[in-house]
Amino acid sequence: MLSNEQNRLLTRVEGDAPMGLMLRRNFWVPAVRSARLQAGGAPVRVRLFGMNYIAFRTDDGRVGFFDERCPHRGVSLTLARNEDNALRCIFHGWKFGVDGAVLETPTQPVNSREFAQAVKLNHYPAREAAGMLWVWLGREGEPPAFPELEFMGLPQSHFNVRLQVVPFNWIQGIEATIDSSHVGILHADWVNGLGELNLMAENTAPTYDMKMTDYGFKAAALRPLNDGRSYIRVTQFVFPWYSFIPPSGMTTGDRLTIISVPVDDTHSLQIYYRYNISRPIKHDDWLALKNPDHFSPLPGGYDDAWGQDRASMKDGSFSGFKDLALEDFVVQISIGAIADRSQEHLCLGDQIIVRTRRLFLQTLERHQAGEDNALSSARQTGLRDVRSVSTIVPEGIDWLDPSVAASAR
Ligand code: FES
Ligand SMILES: [Fe+2]
């Protein structure tokens, strides 16, 4: 349970909220799929941390990331012409280079050069990796190190990225992804259909263990099995929003990383990376059918319980939802846009959640005291071997034993 003040510190990211300031200052933010930015094409509006931006790609392939509003009189630059490797506002024709420089101000005929130099358009460092554009919104000082994660640098055939904006706070997204205790229950339909994941349904009350690291933590769900062996699932969390989820089928070797990024206080961008480090991922229905920018459209609301199918529940479905991500999203939406963490009754199965909240609050506290530790100062490099584990081991093997990580497929 958190106090209202702690909950506010943990969740709020807009304006001068300390968490938002720390995240923007110290971390690169995944913002938009690279493929949405066509050379010479329409600028794309992006909302992050309660602010609106535009991203665009010039004819020669460079990417710009600006505040959304034209510094002249505020027209949205989503309407701007993308020409000559620059953006031209359609209201009075002011023109901006990809680096944010004001190149022309045609409605200021006198001293136009000096005038243009005095105008400021906020622009931000942007880099592309793993099919996404990442931006640094820090504004002051130098950008932090760019994250080096397992799925970065893979050939295009080996990963897929899917996005969905959802109406709940970013921390709820993180809490859902690191919460192994709900998997065998909320996702029972899915678990039952998948080989070894039946083991989760066999034992829905695993014991948990957690090890803090200098990039975040490893969290293990340990399930003793009837035959004496132990089913181990290790989630890894890279501060501040990367959850490496244990593989959902040991045979495929595909991995899943979910990123929960603040859009504003009440919305977040959920980014699902599916990838395989050794072979192309299989293009199944999930990948083929869904709009990559809205991979799980959210139907309805309270009035129709988001389309929950009661008939299918009588027929054997546990949740009444067909889609795994939709199950997670609907549950979080129903909690409310910002969960009231002063009203919860936490149990043993929530240990990881409790420690994660503490980790965020302590990191923020240290950051505010001017004492940047490894987390808040963004240890993001050298993390290519951070990965989740799903494995069965003989009795008595510690989950931190190197053989456990090595046995992960
Ligand atoms: S508002 Fe953009 S040029 Fe006038
Ligand atoms: Fe889930």
Side-chain angles (χ1 to χ4, degrees):
M1 200 166 98
L2 296 184
S3 69
N4 285 322
E5 175 59 12
Q6 287 172 319
N7 200 29
R8 195 183 60 75
L9 279 172
L10 181 70
T11 55
R12 300 301 200 278
V13 291
E14 295 182 24
D16 290 335
M19 185 67 81
L21 290 177
M22 178 183 78
L23 295 174
R24 275 174 278 170
R25 171 67 192 86
N26 285 354
F27 300 93
W28 286 84
V29 185
V32 61
R33 275 192 324 119
S34 286
R36 284 190 71 194
L37 308 175
Q38 300 292 326
V44 174
R45 190 168 187 256
V46 179
R47 185 169 168 80
L48 295 166
F49 293 89
M51 297 287 289
N52 297 323
Y53 305 94
I54 54 126
F56 70 103
R57 194 185 299 281
T58 58
D59 294 319
D60 65 9
R62 286 174 293 161
V63 169
F65 199 87
F66 299 167
D67 280 352
E68 180 195 8
R69 306 224 158 268
C70 174
H72 178 215
R73 281 168 51 194
V75 163
S76 171
L77 292 174
T78 50
L79 298 169
R81 295 173 59 82
N82 186 348
E83 62 182 32
D84 304 333
N85 298 314
L87 282 193
R88 188 186 290 281
C89 178
I90 59 169
F91 199 7
H92 309 96
W94 287 26
K95 187 176 177 184
F96 311 99
V98 68
D99 59 356
V102 182
L103 303 175
E104 291 174 22
T105 54
T107 48
Q108 168 70 27
V110 182
N111 298 332
S112 59
R113 220 186 128 99
E114 294 74 13
F115 179 81
Q117 275 170 358
V119 176
K120 205 162 131 44
L121 170 67
N122 290 325
H123 66 99
Y124 304 85
R127 278 178 64 171
E128 291 181 271
M132 288 288 292
L133 181 73
W134 310 66
V135 294
W136 180 61
L137 303 172
R139 306 283 293 277
E140 278 165 32
E142 288 301 305
F146 194 76
E148 290 173 5
L149 304 169
E150 187 178 37
F151 54 84
M152 291 178 163
L154 290 175
Q156 204 150 13
S157 56
H158 287 44
F159 72 90
N160 177 274
V161 57
R162 288 275 184 276
L163 281 62
Q164 180 69 48
V165 172
V166 288
F168 53 80
N169 181 266
W170 69 292
I171 284 282
Q172 269 156 262
I174 289 170
E175 290 183 351
T177 53
I178 59 171
D179 173 22
S180 192
S181 73
H182 81 281
V183 177
I185 302 173
L186 175 66
H187 303 310
D189 297 354
W190 172 77
V191 160
N192 287 335
L194 281 174
E196 98 275 7
L197 293 181
N198 286 331
L199 305 170
M200 264 191 277
E202 181 181 316
N203 184 341
T204 55
T207 54
Y208 298 97
D209 198 10
M210 195 170 176
K211 181 168 166 48
M212 304 309 287
T213 64
D214 62 352
Y215 54 79
F217 59 79
K218 301 178 187 196
L222 309 168
R223 292 172 169 87
L225 300 175
N226 298 336
D227 64 5
R229 295 181 303 165
S230 186
Y231 177 39
I232 296 179
R233 286 171 68 82
V234 181
T235 302
Q236 295 235 39
F237 183 73
V238 173
F239 202 80
W241 41 52
Y242 303 98
S243 298
F244 291 75
I245 310 292
S248 58
M250 285 187 199
T251 47
T252 69
D254 285 2
R255 305 182 194 281
L256 178 65
T257 296
I258 302 177
I259 315 171
S260 181
V261 173
V263 168
D264 52 33
D265 285 346
T266 53
H267 295 79
S268 55
L269 171 63
Q270 303 295 313
I271 304 174
Y272 280 50
Y273 268 101
R274 188 160 132 191
Y275 59 98
N276 194 301
I277 55 168
S278 52
R279 62 166 179 76
I281 52 170
K282 201 169 138 238
H283 278 263
D284 57 14
D285 293 351
W286 197 82
L287 297 180
L289 293 178
K290 307 210 172 174
N291 176 341
D293 295 303
H294 304 277
F295 75 81
S296 186
L298 303 166
Y302 276 107
D303 284 349
D304 66 348
W306 293 273
Q308 188 179 36
D309 182 350
R310 290 275 162 187
S312 78
M313 290 165 85
K314 291 251 185 283
D315 243 11
S317 164
F318 180 78
S319 71
F321 293 100
K322 283 208 180 72
D323 185 286
L324 181 83
L326 189 60
E327 285 173 335
D328 285 321
F329 293 165
V330 167
V331 162
Q332 291 305 320
I333 293 168
S334 78
I335 290 175
I338 301 179
D340 182 350
R341 293 175 178 77
S342 71
Q343 297 297 320
E344 299 171 330
H345 295 83
L346 301 178
C347 68
L348 275 178
D350 300 310
Q351 295 164 53
I352 309 278
I353 302 284
V354 170
R355 292 184 67 175
T356 305
R357 292 173 182 175
R358 202 180 300 147
L359 173 74
F360 271 96
L361 289 172
Q362 286 173 349
T363 305
L364 181 60
E365 206 173 297
R366 281 193 223 127
H367 174 73
Q368 286 185 288
E371 178 201 327
D372 267 335
N373 64 1
L375 287 184
S376 61
S377 62
R379 147 104 148 103
Q380 302 270 287
T381 53
L383 302 181
R384 286 192 192 280
D385 58 353
V386 170
R387 66 186 55 134
S388 58
V389 173
S390 172
T391 191
I392 297 170
V393 297
E395 206 169 2
I397 303 248
D398 187 278
W399 70 275
L400 287 167
D401 190 281
S403 66
V404 171
S407 71
R409 279 165 280 175

